[in-house]
């Protein structure tokens, strides 16, 4: 997406950057400009940009060291980063310089940009949040380090073949990664299995010696993370697994060549692939290996850094905060204890105080199937010393309750680290809770629900620990980089200060909502984004869209609780209504869907097929004359989101109330001026407070109503069908195979199941959703009202900046930043 340069650019800077790129192309890529491929140019530009990052990076690192500033470590199994070229150039203020420099060389930067593969080291919201947080922490000058795994294969590529999802291996590293620095010297030994022996001088048995059976090596790869205006540069350190070379060589020399290679493959499989599920039932051994591998590497690394500068681990909480992104790194509680007690010789009590003082934990889901537990058997086998430590933590924890005269069996059972029913399992959520001084949810409603559901009993014991930190998004990526036209308008209207202080300054846009000329411009920039998206849709799936239609968008992981099915039922209802009365003046609408389903999640995959079946039927029906189009865009990822979000008129945030912890795309859409149709779930609640319910389309049961229905076991949808001829007709059509003539039975199970047990209240909310969608259409007919609301959505989205979220974490949890 090109953009005229807003300010005059310094020709000397342009020349310098041009020379830097040419030099990289020649001496690092080894290509002559005459014969360079686009990919060679990409690499040269990235390397030239990276050079500009290194000095501020080292300055920042030195400053933190000298100031002995409190460090924050963000431990996450996922970082859903996307592309980095524009992120770096834009935050360094070099975007226009680079564009001009490349134009001088006859190279189109905006074309080259498309060649960078997405770093898709995450599944969805949680991973993208980690990436937004990294950028905000750099912007605010928090001395932060991200720690994770350098997966060789990120999230699978989704191909749609005959309407069905197929998973293909993602290979983001095929052409190398110009942003990272391999640190071959930063390496740790990670043990697995083996046995534990008592130390003779320790009668209480708190200190033990662990002799692992297997050892794997971790190697660090560092990627600099540039904050806005290059103010600070932090590090994202990702670990790669390698076989311990000595062992490997010994076996090889002994003649066991195959065994040696198998060992190597087994060790290196730890960082091979991201688990492609955003929730899961069965804990796999490899997953636990991944979790321990990256946690142990990270803790050893940060302790080494701490010891070099401070030396007394009892003081760790004063200088270090460790944030656990969900329970995925929760084994950190036991590993930190092990390192402090067994390796560094602290007493159990000293170590426990330091551990709880240092760790904090963010919960991202209440879904029971996503709450991690590990079988005691597997833990004993893979991490015998950690299992002992967990037992000991549990014993002291239960003792402390008894000492407070709490003997209620139900309570003790609920707060135990060990789940005793259906096989003994370690509850990672409880472990993370007990081992942390702060436990936060990610929206007000989600945090309230945490207090009364998953952590009800632990909350009663530790009423001060649970707190809320409503999610946010980085405006640099989700506005400045992805929507330069709108950004330009904001700068022209409010002044360039809006880029530095959007949280307060965006509000000044409110008065522009009443200016017809500004609204007109707003419509124009949206139309350009829609034309751009329509081109992309035509190129990718051959569906032709009318950019003047209402673009109605739902893009996110496919999950039953997110209710893509509800949106599809509305699509069919609209289709049937249009066919029944083709001469009514319908609002032309485009339904856009995108999202991946976990490979083993069959109902989600069937919903993708249904979307594609409906799309084929609707798009080929001549009676509609293009009034309705449906597009399922394959392979949703960060880059696709950047193209879709600026082009959306209507944002679908329609999860069953009580199920979506926060949502973050909801904020991205609102920031870009889309109106939301949604339930009062997750951060939609805060959005309605900030933006005003009158500028959104809120519908459906509240979380309380959902809870009441669940408690009463009212899942049968027949009453709703009886009350709604429209819903009845929609379900019948799908059931009888109207959208699947090639296999009329395809959706019988889905529809019968929905009626018998409507787990996510799709049918219950249908009529209300339909009515809300009628309001949407009527509102669209009043452009003045619609676009006024659109401008107000942008104006009032400032609070959803991840800078605000990070400031709250820094103030309340980390005690960093003064
Ligand atoms: C667990 C065990 C084994 C394999 C995979 C997993 C796993 C992986 C990813 C479980 C959950 C996730 C991801 C969860 C997630 O993305 N949650 C979302 O987090 C967002 C950021 O807070 C919220 O906005 C969303 O509401 C929430 O669904």
């Amino acid at each position: 997406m090109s953009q005229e340069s807003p300010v005059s650019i310094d020709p000397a800077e342009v020349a310098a950057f041009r020379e830097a790129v040419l030099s990289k192309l020649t001496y690092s890529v080894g290509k002559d400009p005459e014969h360079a491929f686009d990919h060679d140019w990409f690499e040269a530009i990235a390397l030239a940009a990276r050079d500009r990052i290194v000095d501020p990076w080292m300055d920042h690192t030195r400053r933190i060291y000298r100031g002995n500033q409190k460090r924050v470590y963000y431990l996450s199994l996922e970082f859903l980063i996307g592309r980095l070229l524009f992120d770096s150039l834009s935050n360094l203020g070099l975007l226009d310089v680079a564009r001009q420099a490349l134009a001088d060389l006859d190279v189109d930067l905006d074309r080259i940009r498309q060649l960078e593969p997405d770093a898709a080291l995450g599944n969805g919201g949680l991973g993208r949040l980690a990436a937004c947080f990294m950028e905000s922490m750099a912007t605010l000058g928090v001395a932060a380090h991200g720690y994770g795994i350098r997966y060789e294969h990120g999230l699978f590529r989704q191909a749609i073949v005959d309407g069905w999802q197929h998973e293909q291996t993602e290979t983001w590293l095929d052409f190398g990664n110009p942003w990272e620095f391999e640190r071959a010297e930063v390496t740790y030994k990670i043990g697995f299995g083996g046995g534990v022996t008592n130390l003779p001088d320790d009668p209480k048995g708190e200190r033990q010696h662990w002799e692992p059976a297997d050892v794997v090596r971790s190697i660090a790869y560092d990627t600099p993370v540039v904050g806005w205006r290059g103010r600070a540069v932090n590090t994202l350190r990702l670990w790669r697994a390698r076989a311990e070379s000595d062992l490997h060589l010994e076996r090889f020399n002994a003649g066991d060549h195959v065994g040696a290679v198998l060992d190597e493959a087994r060790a290196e499989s730890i960082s091979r692939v991201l688990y492609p599920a955003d929730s899961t039932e069965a804990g796999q051994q490899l997953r636990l290996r991944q979790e321990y591998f990256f946690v142990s590497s990270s803790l050893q690394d940060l302790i080494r850094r701490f010891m070099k500068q401070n030396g007394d681990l009892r003081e760790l909480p004063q200088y270090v905060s460790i944030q656990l992104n969900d329970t995925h790194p929760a084994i950190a509680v036991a590993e930190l204890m092990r390192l402090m007690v067994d390796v560094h010789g602290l007493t159990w009590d000293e170590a426990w105080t330091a551990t709880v003082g240092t760790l904090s934990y963010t919960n991202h889901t209440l879904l029971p199937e996503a709450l991690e537990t590990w079988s005691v058997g597997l833990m004993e086998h893979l991490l015998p010393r950690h299992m002992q430590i967990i037992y000991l933590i549990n014993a002291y924890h239960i003792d402390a309750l008894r000492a407070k005269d709490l003997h209620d069996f139900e309570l003790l059972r609920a707060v135990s680290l060990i789940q005793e029913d259906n096989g003994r399992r370690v509850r990672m959520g409880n472990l993370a809770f007990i081992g942390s001084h702060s436990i936060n949810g990610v929206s007000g409603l989600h945090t309230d629900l945490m207090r009364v559901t998953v952590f009800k009993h632990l909350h009663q014991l530790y009423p001060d620990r649970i707190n809320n930190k409503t999610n946010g998004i980085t405006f640099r990526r989700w506005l400045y980089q992805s929507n330069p036209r709108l950004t330009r308008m904001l700068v022209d209207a409010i002044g360039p200060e809006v880029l530095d202080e959007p949280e307060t300054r965006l509000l000044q846009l409110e008065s522009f909502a009443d200016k017809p000329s500004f609204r007109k411009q707003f419509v124009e920039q949206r139309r350009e984004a829609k034309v751009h998206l329509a081109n992309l849709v035509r190129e990718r799936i051959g569906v032709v869209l009318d950019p003047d239609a209402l673009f109605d968008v739902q893009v996110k992981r496919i999950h039953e609780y997110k209710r893509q099915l509800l949106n599809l039922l509305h699509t069919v209802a609209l289709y049937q209504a249009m066919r029944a009365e083709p001469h009514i003046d319908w609002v032309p609408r485009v339904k856009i869907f995108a999202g991946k389903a976990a490979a083993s999640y069959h109902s989600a995959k069937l919903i993708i097929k249904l979307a594609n079946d409906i799309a084929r039927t609707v798009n080929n029906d001549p009676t509609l004359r293009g009034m309705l189009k449906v597009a399922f865009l394959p392979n949703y990822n960060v880059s696709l989101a950047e193209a879709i979000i600026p082009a959306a008129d209507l944002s679908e945030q329609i999860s069953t109330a009580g199920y979506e912890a926060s949502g973050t795309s909801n904020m991205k859409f609102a920031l870009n001026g889309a109106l939301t149709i949604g339930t009062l779930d997750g951060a939609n609640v805060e959005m309605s407070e900030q933006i005003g319910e009158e500028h959104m389309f809120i519908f459906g049961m509240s979380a309380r109503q959902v809870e009441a229905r669940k408690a009463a076991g009212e899942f049968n949808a027949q009453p709703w069908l009886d009350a709604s001829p429209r819903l009845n007709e929609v379900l019948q059509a799908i059931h009888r195979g109207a959208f699947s003539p090639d296999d009329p039975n395809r959706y019988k199970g889905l529809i019968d199941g929905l009626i018998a047990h409507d787990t996510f209240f799709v049918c219950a909310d249908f009529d209300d959703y339909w009515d809300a969608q009628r309001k949407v259409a009527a509102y669209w007919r009043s452009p003045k009202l619609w676009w006024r609301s659109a401008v107000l959505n942008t104006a009032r989205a400032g609070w959803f900046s991840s800078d605000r979220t990070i400031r709250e974490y820094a103030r309340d949890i980390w005690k960093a930043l003064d």
Side-chain angles (χ1 to χ4, degrees):
M1 202 179 297
S2 60
Q3 177 199 16
E4 314 87 69
S5 40
V7 283
S8 61
I9 38 183
D10 178 358
E13 261 197 85
V14 172
F17 197 76
R18 191 178 59 225
E19 291 315 309
V21 170
L22 280 176
S23 161
K24 288 293 171 193
L25 186 71
T26 314
Y27 299 106
S28 300
V29 185
K31 281 288 180 87
D32 178 338
E34 298 272 301
H35 299 111
F37 291 112
D38 278 356
H39 196 276
D40 301 322
W41 283 111
F42 164 69
E43 212 178 316
I45 300 164
L47 290 174
R50 197 182 74 169
D51 274 1
R52 304 295 187 96
I53 300 174
V54 171
D55 284 326
W57 192 18
M58 291 181 175
D59 284 351
H60 186 62
T61 307
R62 250 179 255 126
R63 242 189 349 259
I64 293 166
Y65 188 80
R66 292 210 186 106
N68 209 358
Q69 198 180 328
K70 186 161 190 182
R71 292 177 195 267
V72 172
Y73 294 97
Y74 199 81
L75 267 59
S76 179
L77 219 41
E78 306 196 3
F79 288 91
L80 188 43
I81 297 165
R83 293 178 176 144
L84 280 176
L85 183 59
F86 270 35
D87 206 51
S88 311
L89 289 176
S90 168
N91 277 9
L92 290 169
L94 280 176
L95 196 47
D96 295 307
V97 169
R99 190 176 277 120
Q100 185 57 51
L102 271 296
D104 293 350
L105 295 164
D106 246 346
V107 176
D108 178 4
L109 182 64
D110 297 285
R111 188 183 76 241
I112 299 295
R113 172 195 200 182
Q114 309 294 328
L115 292 177
E116 181 176 1
D118 271 38
L121 310 184
N123 272 289
L126 167 150
R128 184 53 236 175
L129 186 76
C132 284
F133 280 6
M134 286 303 298
E135 200 270 359
S136 274
M137 290 189 288
T139 292
L140 296 174
V142 176
H145 305 248
Y147 276 127
I149 293 180
R150 180 182 177 274
Y151 301 107
E152 194 176 319
H153 304 290
L155 188 58
F156 66 85
R157 220 150 42 89
Q158 177 194 56
I160 301 293
V161 181
D162 188 27
W164 294 100
Q165 167 176 299
H166 288 249
E167 301 88 31
Q168 300 175 340
T169 311
E170 184 273 355
T171 55
W172 70 298
L173 292 170
D174 271 4
F175 290 92
N177 174 6
W179 302 112
E180 71 185 6
F181 292 84
E182 183 182 323
R183 306 291 192 203
E185 75 290 1
V186 182
T187 163
Y188 297 94
K189 288 185 180 183
I190 312 300
F192 291 100
V196 180
T197 45
N198 252 317
L199 291 178
D201 59 348
D202 178 30
K204 276 171 95 184
E206 286 171 346
R207 244 187 117 195
Q208 301 275 327
H209 175 73
W210 174 30
E211 192 62 46
D214 299 322
V215 174
V216 173
R217 280 246 164 226
S218 58
I219 299 183
Y221 287 74
D222 288 350
T223 301
V225 179
V226 189
W228 178 236
R229 301 218 190 271
R231 209 163 288 148
V233 183
N234 284 328
T235 305
L236 174 60
R237 175 161 280 186
L238 301 179
W239 302 103
R240 175 180 171 199
R242 291 289 300 273
E244 175 71 313
S245 51
D246 310 347
L247 289 175
H248 173 219
L249 206 64
E250 254 169 51
R251 280 190 84 163
F252 197 86
N253 290 340
D256 183 8
H257 298 164
V258 172
V261 170
L262 282 179
D263 269 1
E264 188 177 60
R266 212 168 79 95
E268 298 186 359
S269 69
I270 291 181
S271 56
R272 192 86 69 207
V273 59
L274 165 78
Y275 265 79
D278 58 355
S279 65
T280 192
E281 312 94 67
Q284 300 289 318
Q285 183 175 146
L286 181 60
R287 170 82 180 186
L288 181 56
R289 282 176 175 271
Q290 287 187 332
E291 295 184 353
Y292 180 63
F293 165 79
F294 108 95
V295 162
S296 180
S297 304
S298 310
L299 294 182
Q300 290 187 59
D301 195 45
L302 73 87
I303 286 178
R304 187 182 64 169
R305 189 175 296 120
F306 175 82
M307 292 304 278
K308 226 169 63 188
Q309 201 166 3
N310 299 75
D312 185 348
L313 276 172
R314 289 169 301 187
E315 290 174 3
L316 194 68
Q318 274 166 259
Y319 297 99
V320 169
S321 270
I322 302 174
Q323 190 70 36
L324 307 177
N325 200 19
D326 215 289
T327 55
H328 315 158
I331 194 66
V333 176
E335 175 68 356
L336 196 50
M337 287 299 289
R338 184 186 74 84
L339 292 169
M340 288 187 183
V341 174
D342 293 358
V343 180
H344 292 275
L346 268 63
T347 68
W348 181 274
D349 291 339
E350 288 170 340
W352 186 245
T353 305
T355 294
V356 176
T358 305
L359 294 177
S360 45
Y361 151 56
T362 306
N363 173 282
H364 295 267
T365 181
L366 305 172
L367 288 184
E369 66 267 31
L371 295 174
E372 282 188 297
T373 62
W374 293 107
S375 86
V376 167
L378 176 60
M379 278 285 228
E380 275 168 345
H381 172 67
L382 217 53
L383 300 170
R385 175 60 180 136
H386 297 79
M387 195 58 240
Q388 279 187 344
I389 290 174
I390 289 169
Y391 277 136
L392 207 50
I393 294 173
N394 203 34
Y396 286 140
H397 161 58
I398 302 284
D399 282 354
L401 302 186
R402 293 221 173 90
K404 284 198 233 163
D405 231 21
L406 293 163
H407 301 283
D408 175 24
F409 182 67
E410 271 308 300
L411 176 83
L412 296 183
R413 213 171 66 125
V415 301
S416 170
L417 300 185
I418 312 292
Q419 181 186 80
E420 304 281 352
D421 38 351
N422 96 70
R424 305 185 69 228
R425 304 183 70 85
V426 181
R427 293 173 171 143
M428 302 309 271
N430 284 15
L431 178 62
F433 191 114
I434 300 288
S436 299
H437 64 282
S438 160
I439 294 91
N440 76 281
V442 289
S443 75
L445 174 63
H446 167 64
T447 302
D448 288 345
L449 292 175
M450 273 168 67
R451 293 191 178 107
V452 295
T453 60
V454 258
F455 295 127
K456 178 174 165 206
H457 296 98
L458 282 170
H459 172 59
Q460 285 165 7
L461 299 178
Y462 303 96
D464 301 330
R465 284 198 188 178
I466 296 186
N467 63 94
N468 178 244
K469 297 286 168 282
T470 300
N471 283 167
I473 57 173
T474 168
F475 289 13
R476 271 74 64 181
R477 183 177 289 264
W478 296 108
L479 181 61
Y480 313 168
Q481 289 159 40
S482 61
N483 201 344
R485 292 186 198 90
L486 177 56
T487 305
R488 198 52 220 280
M489 275 182 63
L490 301 177
V491 169
D492 289 347
I494 317 175
E497 300 80 15
V498 69
L499 299 177
D500 296 287
E501 297 159 17
E503 292 161 64
T504 49
R505 305 248 176 193
L506 264 181
L507 280 173
Q508 294 173 20
L509 204 67
E510 283 190 353
S511 59
F512 288 81
D514 292 312
K515 293 194 173 131
S517 64
F518 189 82
R519 286 200 306 267
K520 182 159 166 280
Q521 263 186 299
F522 204 91
V523 175
E524 285 165 4
Q525 62 80 23
R526 172 73 52 75
R527 193 172 189 286
E528 278 185 56
K530 287 163 79 174
V531 168
H532 181 260
L533 179 61
N535 288 336
L536 185 151
V537 170
R538 185 167 34 73
E539 280 160 26
R540 296 211 180 160
I541 58 171
V543 175
V544 177
L545 306 181
D546 170 9
D548 292 314
L550 190 164
F551 278 25
D552 171 344
V553 181
Q554 187 173 22
V555 290
K556 48 182 79 255
R557 286 297 288 250
I558 313 291
H559 221 295
E560 286 161 287
Y561 82 78
K562 295 179 189 282
R563 297 201 295 191
Q564 280 93 355
L565 187 54
L566 178 58
N567 191 351
L568 288 171
L569 298 187
H570 169 251
T571 308
V572 171
L574 197 57
Y575 173 58
Q576 290 175 335
M578 285 174 168
R579 270 170 61 98
E581 297 181 281
H583 300 296
I584 292 188
D585 184 20
W586 294 96
V587 169
R589 208 188 265 246
V590 173
K591 286 271 190 185
I592 295 171
F593 294 88
K596 293 176 182 175
S600 60
Y601 192 169
H602 299 290
S603 339
K605 290 176 123 175
L606 191 59
I607 288 170
I608 293 177
K609 175 64 174 164
L610 178 59
N612 282 292
D613 275 343
I614 293 171
R616 184 178 18 86
T617 313
V618 169
N619 296 345
N620 293 317
D621 189 329
T623 53
L624 293 188
R625 304 178 322 276
M627 283 183 303
L628 180 62
K629 282 285 175 78
V630 181
F632 186 97
L633 278 170
N635 201 35
Y636 183 58
N637 60 12
V638 172
S639 292
L640 189 54
E642 289 168 6
I644 292 175
I645 290 168
D649 296 308
L650 185 67
S651 157
E652 299 267 356
Q653 306 298 337
I654 59 177
S655 51
T656 312
Y659 280 86
E660 190 69 89
S662 159
T664 41
S665 76
N666 45 2
M667 305 167 188
K668 296 167 195 168
F669 282 105
L671 177 63
N672 283 272
L675 272 53
T676 300
I677 183 164
T679 47
L680 279 180
D681 196 16
N684 295 353
V685 176
E686 282 90 334
M687 282 173 54
S688 73
E689 290 161 5
Q690 294 290 323
I691 293 165
E693 256 197 59
E694 65 281 21
H695 304 291
M696 300 169 71
F697 304 93
I698 300 292
F699 75 96
M701 293 195 283
S702 65
R704 257 174 210 283
Q705 289 169 321
V706 167
E707 204 34 60
R709 243 179 229 296
K710 275 165 57 175
E714 289 173 13
F715 292 105
N716 190 302
Q718 199 56 52
W720 301 101
L721 281 171
D722 295 342
S724 173
R726 181 172 287 114
L727 175 61
N728 217 338
E729 224 174 289
V730 168
L731 294 182
Q732 273 187 26
I734 300 173
H735 192 268
R736 91 171 88 88
F739 301 93
S740 53
D742 56 319
D743 176 7
N745 293 327
R746 184 174 295 141
Y747 302 112
K748 285 202 164 43
L750 175 76
I751 301 298
D752 289 339
L754 185 69
I755 297 170
H757 197 275
D758 184 3
T759 315
F760 297 101
F761 304 104
V762 170
C763 295
D765 271 346
F766 177 83
D767 276 349
D768 204 14
Y769 181 53
W770 170 268
D771 291 342
Q773 288 284 16
R774 291 312 90 219
K775 286 185 196 139
V776 168
Y779 209 59
W780 180 258
R781 287 277 187 229
S782 311
K784 192 175 157 189
L785 291 179
W786 182 282
W787 294 102
R788 180 171 178 274
S789 290
V791 174
L792 290 178
N793 265 262
T794 300
R796 297 173 182 174
W799 191 77
F800 298 97
S801 164
S802 44
D803 297 354
R804 186 268 312 153
T805 313
I806 288 299
R807 254 187 248 110
E808 292 181 5
Y809 275 87
R811 182 193 63 204
D812 302 341
I813 303 177
W814 305 331
K815 321 281 183 216
L817 283 183
D818 316 314

